[in-house]
Amino acid sequence: MGKVTGFMDFPRVAAENVPPAERVKNYKEFVLHLSDEEAKTQGARCMDCGIPFCNNGCPVNNIIPDWNDLVFQQNWKQAIEVLHSTNNFPEFTGRICPAPCEAACTLNINDDPVGIKSIEHAIIDKAWENNWVIPQPPKNKTGKKIAIVGSGPAGMAAAQQLARVGHDVVVLEKNDRIGGLLRYGIPDFKMEKSHIDRRVTQMEAEGVVFKTNQNVGENVDPEQLIHDYDSVILAGGAEWPRDLPVPGRELDGVHFAMDFLPNQNKIVAGDVIKDQITATGKNVVVIGGGDTGSDCVGTSNRHGAASVYQFELMPQPPEKEIKSLVWPYWPLKMRTSSSHEEGCERDWSVATKSFIGENGKVKELVAARVEWKDGKMQEVPNSEFTMKADLVLLAMGFISPQQTILDKFGIDKDARGNAKAETEGENSYTTSRSKVFAAGDMRRGQSLVVWAIREGRQCARSVDEFLMGSSSLPR
């Protein structure tokens, strides 16, 4: 490595954030990337550890030590080449990935891990600033046609890989803009949509054709796709939300998170939304303690909510993990997001029992404390309580992709309702239907953007092998 003792000489320094009081006034990104000197110093903390567990901790297997060393040398152009060799869209992951690579960092055993995510963020921003991210159109065309259903990270990754080896790729998106859940699921304050737009421009120059308002199974016939194309990839998101069937669920003001978040994305993009669900001046309760719940908290604060509470069914996790037991795996520990820092009361081991309304609108929430014994949840006696709730957002995760599209393609599903397809062997990512492949959330269920990129890339190689007999694409 560039500085052998760097991990002992320099402390971890995270990228700075715009203060909460300022950033809640708008929907702009607020994480500032490292300066060149800061990135060099943080890159110097990467150890000569022998076995870089970060590579395996990263779903796309980023070659992290190499680009850490290149940043230390200030060789930014080669750093982005190494980064792009495994990750098509580091501006996405450098902003919204939870960084399992850092949990797997060898330095994390007894110290703060290398700031891998912040270095990745700095590399790709530097590359865009210097016009190093350019189209890579194929030298030759194969004449093979591929349709990709879904324009989220899995679909985009698969499309870019396949276009670069000469296939004619058409990406079909049911919404009015490209990006899938990146566009209409991730708040703009976490990732501005200009990052998607400039990748679309790059990919169009590489030959990818994007078509919006193409709802396959509704206004696009799946059988016609199979007939017209040499291969079809299903790469849509997991959009079937987990519901909460309790008394009062039908009241106005009780909504799924994905009835709330996408419309704010559209407002930021300049659309006019009739009857937008807003948190302005309301007592908001978010049910669900994951990333989607956190996004609801941040959006509610920007709307100007009177109060924001977030309930989680599971017990409160420990403040710090026992590293000797969990490293290099993703640890269960207390995590406070940037949205929580902006204002939120959080509570754990809480089960919502019912909603109480007035004139058809929710006004109160009835909940109780629960405890877990032998893996089973039990209500704590005499723990029931009531609280004000003008807006309740259900953010309890997603069960699977919407079943309609899988049924209309007539493909087999796994036990969780996802498209059934294996990731290993000669026919990886193939479904039970000839010519039809599946990747990302469509195959694995709700997951991370970085997993979607990985599966999109791997599925692209499998499709290329299916069409051409062999493939030069990386696995």
Side-chain angles (χ1 to χ4, degrees), residues 318-338:
E319 287 290 336
K320 293 184 178 181
E321 76 273 30
I322 303 174
K323 292 183 178 181
S324 60
L325 294 180
V326 298
W327 180 89
Y329 302 108
W330 185 249
L332 175 65
K333 67 176 182 178
M334 182 70 168
R335 301 179 191 278
T336 299
S337 74
S338 57

Side-chain angles (χ1 to χ4, degrees), residues 148-152 171-180 184 211-215:
I148 299 178
V149 181
S151 69
V171 178
L172 307 174
E173 169 57 51
K174 68 179 181 180
N175 290 308
D176 59 344
R177 295 181 177 91
I178 296 299
Y184 290 137
K211 294 184 178 182
T212 56
N213 300 307
Q214 304 292 300
N215 195 341

Side-chain angles (χ1 to χ4, degrees), residues 157-210:
Q160 186 165 65
Q161 294 294 94
L162 290 165
R164 287 178 173 179
V165 292
H167 301 305
D168 293 320
V169 181
V170 176
V171 178
L172 307 174
E173 169 57 51
K174 68 179 181 180
N175 290 308
D176 59 344
R177 295 181 177 91
I178 296 299
L181 290 175
L182 277 173
R183 172 79 64 177
Y184 290 137
I186 304 295
D188 291 76
F189 56 80
K190 289 177 68 174
M191 193 189 83
E192 294 176 11
K193 307 316 170 193
S194 58
H195 303 298
I196 302 172
D197 296 337
R198 59 187 180 185
R199 280 296 181 180
V200 169
T201 299
Q202 178 199 28
M203 292 170 65
E204 287 176 334
E206 294 171 344
V208 178
V209 175
F210 291 95

Side-chain angles (χ1 to χ4, degrees), residues 47-283:
M47 305 168 66
D48 187 11
C49 59
I51 299 176
F53 288 88
C54 56
N55 286 13
N56 288 333
C58 172
V60 293
N61 304 124
N62 277 330
I63 312 169
I64 295 163
D66 292 45
W67 44 258
N68 279 340
D69 184 47
L70 290 165
V71 169
F72 175 77
Q73 299 174 29
Q74 298 290 278
N75 189 344
W76 293 92
K77 191 168 185 179
Q78 190 173 352
I80 188 57
E81 291 172 1
V82 174
L83 180 51
H84 266 151
S85 72
T86 56
N87 185 353
N88 296 67
F89 314 117
E91 64 269 46
F92 303 165
T93 52
R95 284 168 168 80
I96 60 177
C97 183
C101 54
E102 294 187 13
C105 175
T106 304
L107 186 55
N108 191 43
I109 294 174
N110 65 342
D111 200 347
D112 294 327
V114 174
I116 299 168
K117 180 178 175 179
S118 62
I119 298 172
E120 178 182 33
H121 188 171
I123 294 171
I124 183 58
D125 282 8
K126 173 76 74 173
W128 281 109
E129 290 166 7
N130 286 277
N131 297 317
W132 295 334
V133 184
I134 59 175
Q136 299 178 36
K139 295 180 180 179
N140 301 295
K141 300 291 284 185
T142 66
K144 301 293 186 180
K145 299 191 301 180
I146 302 161
I148 299 178
V149 181
S151 69
M156 288 182 69
Q160 186 165 65
Q161 294 294 94
L162 290 165
R164 287 178 173 179
V165 292
H167 301 305
D168 293 320
V169 181
V170 176
V171 178
L172 307 174
E173 169 57 51
K174 68 179 181 180
N175 290 308
D176 59 344
R177 295 181 177 91
I178 296 299
L181 290 175
L182 277 173
R183 172 79 64 177
Y184 290 137
I186 304 295
D188 291 76
F189 56 80
K190 289 177 68 174
M191 193 189 83
E192 294 176 11
K193 307 316 170 193
S194 58
H195 303 298
I196 302 172
D197 296 337
R198 59 187 180 185
R199 280 296 181 180
V200 169
T201 299
Q202 178 199 28
M203 292 170 65
E204 287 176 334
E206 294 171 344
V208 178
V209 175
F210 291 95
K211 294 184 178 182
T212 56
N213 300 307
Q214 304 292 300
N215 195 341
V216 178
E218 299 297 330
N219 62 355
V220 177
D221 181 12
E223 295 300 325
Q224 194 66 44
L225 285 182
I226 294 172
H227 177 270
D228 292 346
Y229 291 86
D230 298 295
S231 181
V232 176
I233 299 175
L234 303 182
E239 296 182 318
W240 188 4
R242 183 172 285 106
D243 207 345
L244 185 61
V246 298
R249 169 64 181 88
E250 75 286 352
L251 290 168
D252 184 20
V254 182
H255 304 279
F256 287 119
M258 293 305 291
D259 293 331
F260 175 68
L261 294 172
N263 281 345
Q264 185 55 56
N265 294 126
K266 293 180 180 182
I267 294 289
V268 174
D271 293 352
V272 176
I273 303 297
K274 185 180 180 181
D275 300 325
Q276 181 192 5
I277 302 167
T278 64
T280 309
K282 296 177 181 177
N283 298 296

Side-chain angles (χ1 to χ4, degrees), residues 314-432:
M314 301 301 291
Q316 182 174 347
E319 287 290 336
K320 293 184 178 181
E321 76 273 30
I322 303 174
K323 292 183 178 181
S324 60
L325 294 180
V326 298
W327 180 89
Y329 302 108
W330 185 249
L332 175 65
K333 67 176 182 178
M334 182 70 168
R335 301 179 191 278
T336 299
S337 74
S338 57
S339 292
H340 296 139
E341 294 170 353
E342 295 163 3
C344 176
E345 294 291 333
R346 306 164 73 187
D347 207 347
W348 290 263
S349 298
V350 175
T352 302
K353 299 180 68 174
S354 65
F355 304 111
I356 299 172
E358 183 179 307
N359 298 322
K361 295 184 178 182
V362 67
K363 290 297 179 184
E364 292 183 319
L365 175 150
V366 180
R369 303 282 171 189
V370 296
E371 57 185 358
W372 295 80
K373 292 183 178 180
D374 300 323
K376 296 181 180 180
M377 185 184 73
Q378 300 177 1
E379 184 176 328
V380 176
N382 303 315
S383 66
E384 189 173 291
F385 63 94
T386 303
M387 67 181 304
K388 291 181 180 180
D390 306 308
L391 175 63
V392 178
L393 300 171
L394 306 180
M396 302 174 295
F398 299 87
I399 299 171
S400 69
Q402 295 289 357
Q403 298 298 288
T404 305
I405 187 169
L406 301 182
D407 292 338
K408 290 190 175 181
F409 270 97
I411 60 177
D412 293 345
K413 306 172 192 174
D414 65 17
R416 296 182 299 149
N418 305 316
K420 188 175 182 180
E422 301 299 325
T423 61
E424 302 296 335
E426 293 183 3
N427 300 312
S428 60
Y429 295 94
T430 58
T431 69
S432 59

